[in-house]
Each structure stands twice: as C-alpha cells, then as structure tokens.
Amino acid sequence: MQSSSDMLQVRALSFAYGKRKLWENLDLDVPAGTVTGILGNNGTGKSTLLNCIGGILQPAVGSVFFNDVDLLKLSRRKRARHVAYVAQHFETSGASVYDTVLLGRLPYFYAGPTREDHEAVERVLHEFGIEQWVNRNAKTLSGGEAQKVMLARAVVQQTNVLLLDEPTASLDLGSQVDMLAFVSQYAQRHNVVVLMVSHDINAALRFCSQFVLIDPKGNVSTVAAQDLTEAHLRRTYGVDVRLHEVDDQRFALVEGKAHHFQRRVENV
C-alpha cells in the first residue's frame, strides 16, 4: 500500500530534438494523491515532458523515480505496472470495448487473463458507467466515448503513476467535468500520482493542486495551485491573464486585445 509521502521525482532530466534543447537538468517533484497540471503554449514541450517521464521518449540523461525505483531503467513490461499513459491522439482497433479495456491488464498477463483481470475490467467499466458498451466495436465510438475507454484502460492497469495528455480534448463540457472529477477522486482514493497536460486553464484551476509551468523560453517551474498568480500565467502564456474568483472558485480571463492575431487580421 502506498503512503502519503509517495512522490514521483524527476531528476536532472535533459532532452533535445536534434540541436534544439528543450531543457537541461530538470528537477520536478510530483506528489501522489492529487492532480498536477502541465501548462504552457503549443510547442513548449508539454507532451514531450510527459513522454520522457513515461519512457516513451528517451531523455539524453536523467532519472524518474517513484519510491526510489528508477522507472526509466525498468523493462517496458515492468514499467507498465507502475505507469499508465493516455495519449492525446490515439487509434482504436476493431476489438470490442471490453477487450480494449482488458488490454490494460496486459502487463500482468502470463498465459492469458485471469479471473482477477476480468474482475478488474468489470469493476472499472462499472465505475465509468460504460458497461452497456462492452460488445461495441471500438471503432464505432465517438471521440469522446473513445477517450473514456482509453482512460478506463489506463485505470485498469492499477499503476502508481497516471499520465494524461489532454484527456478531455474530445469531450463536451459536462463530460469534461465528470471525467476530471473522477480523475481527481481516483488520485485521492488510491494515492496515485496524476500528471496531466491541459490547454484548459479553468478546468486545471478547478481540479489541479499543483502546476508545472513551461514558458515560451523553455523555463520550467512548479507552483502550488493556491500560490498561482497572474504573473505566473503571464510568463507562461505571454499574454495578459487576469484571475477572478466566484464562489471560492478561481478562473482566468485574457484581458485586452489579442495583439498577435489583431496584427495578422490587419495585414490580410
């Protein structure tokens, strides 16, 4: 059983695309039991950071620890028992929804799925309220439905770390709130590290307890949600962002003119 002090620790991580360095000697601490959001503009390396932490991309140097285990030194199969990942872009196969979710148990298979594996799938399908989809061909799912199934597949892995890349991108507003509420409760209930890339600042403000901020120059910083300021958001996005509060809930609005787009329109 995990303890309240469980933490994902990124140490001295360096990564580059060719000669373009995204960061060097990056250190991060991501606590279990809450959701940590990664915020920044397009092209700043948010998804790349997630992929490095998950072992999908190989950093030049660096380590990723969970409870003193360096996840990047594990085999792919063993790492999949510690880290689950939901990509922003994915393709569903022609398998049924049930079999698609069952694939999340693959790191535990030997001769094949056991009764325990099937029970885990049935439990997660019930938690997500998608039992009625079990026989559907996954290719017939809408974008939002497929997003739910991919998250269910990640949850059924029963890992210490859950990495989410824009998990609500294809969902309507109500489904976004439901899914993020589920993720937040899941993190707390199971003391899991959840690290989530998001372009929706206001959803992140509602459900995240900590932020990893990546500014346009590639500088990376962390800040607790209650300590996040307008200055943090201006440095991160390069625009004038104002924080407001209604019924104890903070939300962000961009103030003034959108100068970059205004100049483009005027030159058309």
Side-chain angles (χ1 to χ4, degrees):
M1 187 173 182
Q2 300 172 33
S3 71
S4 59
S5 61
D6 289 335
M7 185 172 293
L8 182 75
Q9 296 177 306
V10 178
R11 293 292 179 263
L13 195 72
S14 297
F15 185 83
Y17 284 113
K19 295 183 178 180
R20 182 195 170 208
K21 294 180 180 179
L22 289 185
W23 48 75
E24 290 185 286
N25 297 317
L26 175 63
D27 291 341
L28 291 175
D29 290 331
V30 186
T34 60
V35 180
T36 295
I38 304 177
L39 303 181
N41 287 327
N42 289 334
T44 53
K46 300 184 300 299
S47 296
T48 298
L49 176 58
L50 212 64
N51 288 335
C52 285
I53 291 172
I56 298 166
L57 290 175
Q58 185 64 45
V61 295
S63 301
V64 178
F65 295 99
F66 184 85
N67 285 357
D68 299 323
V69 175
D70 189 344
L71 302 179
L72 299 185
K73 290 185 178 179
L74 298 177
S75 68
R76 183 176 179 181
R77 179 183 177 87
K78 288 183 177 179
R79 188 165 57 244
R81 296 186 179 189
H82 291 274
V83 182
Y85 174 74
V86 179
Q88 180 179 1
H89 304 291
F90 53 83
E91 289 188 10
T92 51
S93 70
S96 69
V97 166
Y98 186 93
D99 287 340
T100 299
V101 176
L102 182 62
L103 284 175
R105 300 296 300 171
L106 194 59
Y108 304 95
F109 285 6
Y110 288 98
T114 65
R115 179 178 178 180
E116 181 182 350
D117 295 318
H118 286 293
E119 288 175 348
V121 170
E122 290 165 6
R123 184 168 58 250
V124 169
L125 289 170
H126 177 72
E127 287 178 351
F128 276 73
I130 57 176
E131 308 104 306
Q132 69 275 19
W133 299 353
V134 292
N135 295 318
R136 283 183 62 181
N137 185 317
K139 281 190 173 295
T140 68
L141 299 172
S142 69
E145 289 172 338
Q147 199 94 36
K148 280 187 177 182
V149 170
M150 292 300 109
L151 181 59
R153 188 174 74 177
V155 167
V156 86
Q157 279 182 240
Q158 298 178 326
T159 58
N160 310 119
V161 180
L162 182 58
L163 306 178
L164 307 176
D165 194 354
E166 289 287 346
T168 61
S170 301
L171 301 179
D172 58 65
L173 187 58
S175 296
Q176 287 180 28
V177 172
D178 287 345
M179 181 174 286
L180 291 178
F182 173 87
V183 168
S184 179
Q185 292 163 10
Y186 175 79
Q188 185 175 15
R189 189 166 63 248
H190 297 281
N191 200 39
V192 169
V193 171
V194 176
L195 189 56
M196 175 181 76
V197 170
S198 179
H199 281 296
D200 189 334
I201 304 175
N202 290 313
L205 283 170
R206 180 170 181 177
F207 291 102
C208 295
S209 298
Q210 176 179 274
F211 295 104
V212 176
L213 306 175
I214 307 178
D215 72 21
K217 295 181 179 179
N219 299 310
V220 181
S221 59
T222 58
V223 60
Q226 66 267 24
D227 297 326
L228 185 74
T229 65
E230 293 172 346
H232 286 122
L233 294 175
R234 283 196 293 271
R235 284 196 299 271
T236 301
Y237 293 104
V239 294
D240 188 14
V241 180
R242 301 289 180 176
L243 288 171
H244 303 269
E245 188 169 315
V246 175
D247 296 332
D248 297 323
Q249 176 61 51
R250 291 202 298 172
F251 63 95
L253 291 175
V254 176
E255 300 288 334
K257 295 181 178 179
H259 298 293
H260 297 298
F261 290 102
Q262 184 68 27
R263 284 196 294 272
R264 292 179 188 174
V265 172
E266 290 171 350
N267 290 330
V268 172

